[in-house]
Amino acid sequence: LRPWLLTRISTNRCLTATPEGVKSSNLEHPMNTLLNETPLLVLLIDDSVDERRLVTRWLESAGYKVESRASGREGMEALHKLLPDVVLLDIQMEGLDGMEVLHLARSSHPDVPVIMLTADGSPAQVVKAIRQEGAYDYLIKPAERSKLLTVVRNAGTQARLTSRLRRVQTGNGGILRSE
């Protein structure tokens, strides 16, 4: 039995099930450290100034760092330079549109979750974005604040866990040790 497999983590308490029973501690559990490290960096790519302002305000008030770009080309440059934890991407933009950016982003940075954010919620476009191009999720504008924050949090957590797992697998540090 590996105790870390049966651990429930809350904000201040760590409950670990062991053969002797459940232990509760205030000690920092490794997963708490992982999930509470530096704030997530979200790259927001949207050609609407008003949408960028609103979503940026929501994300920053929830504790995220936000970088926003007004075009697909600027967004791709920022993706390569900043290496964000999560990308929020509008589909309908002039020039390099969101679907093209999604394809390029998934090709060059496959571990960075991309959340599509658009006014067009046609089933065909949703299927293409998620199943064919690998988008993490798809939110229809105007997105609800709580839904957007939940999806960003989940995507960021998944991205950080994936990153940590890769470091463990390659021997570059991590919270778990292989036997």
Side-chain angles (χ1 to χ4, degrees):
L1 178 66
R2 296 175 191 232
W4 57 265
L5 288 175
L6 300 173
T7 300
R8 181 180 186 283
I9 304 162
S10 67
T11 305
N12 298 325
R13 307 290 298 166
C14 176
L15 302 175
T16 305
T18 66
E20 296 80 34
V22 176
K23 295 181 182 177
S24 175
S25 68
N26 285 323
L27 298 174
E28 194 65 29
H29 187 277
M31 287 297 287
N32 282 340
T33 302
L34 169 67
L35 299 177
N36 292 328
E37 53 192 33
T38 60
L40 289 174
L41 174 59
V42 178
L43 174 59
L44 171 60
I45 308 170
D46 195 317
D47 58 351
S48 167
V49 174
D50 293 335
E51 190 72 23
R52 285 195 316 270
R53 284 184 185 147
L54 176 65
V55 173
T56 297
R57 188 171 59 241
W58 287 351
L59 293 167
E60 287 177 343
S61 71
Y64 297 104
K65 290 183 180 180
V66 182
E67 287 285 335
S68 66
R69 299 296 185 269
S71 72
R73 185 172 316 286
E74 291 174 7
M76 282 306 299
E77 290 171 6
L79 176 63
H80 296 308
K81 181 180 176 184
L82 301 171
L83 301 173
D85 295 295
V86 176
V87 174
L88 271 172
L89 175 61
D90 183 26
I91 287 184
Q92 297 170 330
M93 296 184 289
E94 294 293 320
L96 194 60
D97 75 11
M99 292 303 287
E100 293 170 303
V101 172
L102 173 61
H103 179 76
L104 294 170
R106 299 297 298 149
S107 297
S108 61
H109 297 81
D111 291 338
V112 176
V114 179
I115 301 164
M116 305 308 289
L117 185 63
T118 188
D120 181 11
S122 70
Q125 194 169 41
V126 173
V127 168
K128 182 177 182 188
I130 293 176
R131 289 196 178 163
Q132 294 176 5
E133 297 294 339
Y136 178 83
D137 207 337
Y138 197 103
L139 299 174
I140 298 173
K141 294 179 184 179
E144 293 178 27
R145 181 179 189 271
S146 62
K147 172 80 171 164
L148 183 134
L149 293 176
T150 298
V151 171
V152 168
R153 183 191 69 230
N154 292 343
T157 300
Q158 177 182 315
R160 290 218 168 145
L161 289 171
T162 299
S163 173
R164 184 60 60 98
L165 179 59
R166 287 200 193 289
R167 287 194 304 250
V168 168
Q169 290 172 336
T170 60
N172 294 329
I175 60 170
L176 305 176
R177 291 181 184 85
S178 58
E179 297 176 341

